[in-house]
Amino acid sequence: MTTQTHPVDHELVQAAAHVARTRCRGDNHTMAAAARARDGRIVTAVNAYHFTGGPCAELVLIGAAAAQGAHELSTIVAVGDRDRGVVPPCGRCRQVLLDYFPSLEVIVGEGDRIRTVLITDLLPEGYVWADHQLDAG
């Protein structure tokens, strides 16, 4: 399988890095995410860590975006606090992102090697929840 890369949205990376630097404090909020909505808006969020499995920044972002009327996202990135840089989504987030936004682009990689790939490249042969739902009609 060959992964095709897409242009990196550096403004999005900078937005997530800014939130990670200015809003992540202590052990409860250690990751920030930023996503670009299809209409061009940038939505940001932080994780809500809890020992019971609190949501990652990407999942909090999905809810924050919906609350702001941004139901279609085109690109997402997560950045760690303490200048850890871009952090790829965990397995749970990859599955949720695939289910909500099957054509989503995700920024991954380290340092000057960051790149943008499709969510389907991060979860090849993935389970597609929508494919297994009963027909409502």
Side-chain angles (χ1 to χ4, degrees):
M1 175 179 83
T2 303
T3 301
Q4 180 182 5
T5 60
H6 304 267
V8 173
D9 186 336
H10 291 284
E11 183 182 19
L12 206 56
V13 176
Q14 291 169 353
H18 174 75
V19 171
R21 267 192 318 277
T22 61
R23 301 292 183 243
C24 290
R25 299 236 178 353
D27 292 338
N28 292 334
H29 309 292
T30 59
M31 293 291 299
R36 186 165 306 275
R38 292 263 180 231
D39 65 8
R41 286 184 285 165
I42 292 178
V43 178
T44 60
V46 298
N47 69 316
Y49 176 79
H50 191 264
F51 74 91
T52 61
C56 297
E58 296 94 332
L59 300 185
V60 174
L61 187 135
I62 292 171
Q68 296 174 42
H71 297 283
E72 305 227 3
L73 303 179
S74 61
T75 309
I76 193 167
V77 65
V79 172
D81 67 348
R82 296 169 283 140
D83 295 319
R84 290 184 289 146
V86 172
V87 177
C90 73
R92 176 179 64 171
C93 288
R94 291 175 192 212
Q95 183 67 57
V96 174
L97 292 169
L98 173 68
D99 289 334
Y100 273 72
F101 312 105
S103 63
L104 185 70
E105 294 183 343
V106 183
I107 300 172
V108 297
E110 296 180 19
D112 61 355
R113 296 187 321 257
I114 62 171
R115 64 196 183 284
T116 304
V117 299
L118 293 173
I119 187 64
T120 52
D121 291 334
L122 294 180
L123 199 61
E125 305 288 332
Y127 174 85
V128 179
W129 181 67
D131 290 348
H132 301 278
Q133 299 308 298
L134 295 177
D135 230 341

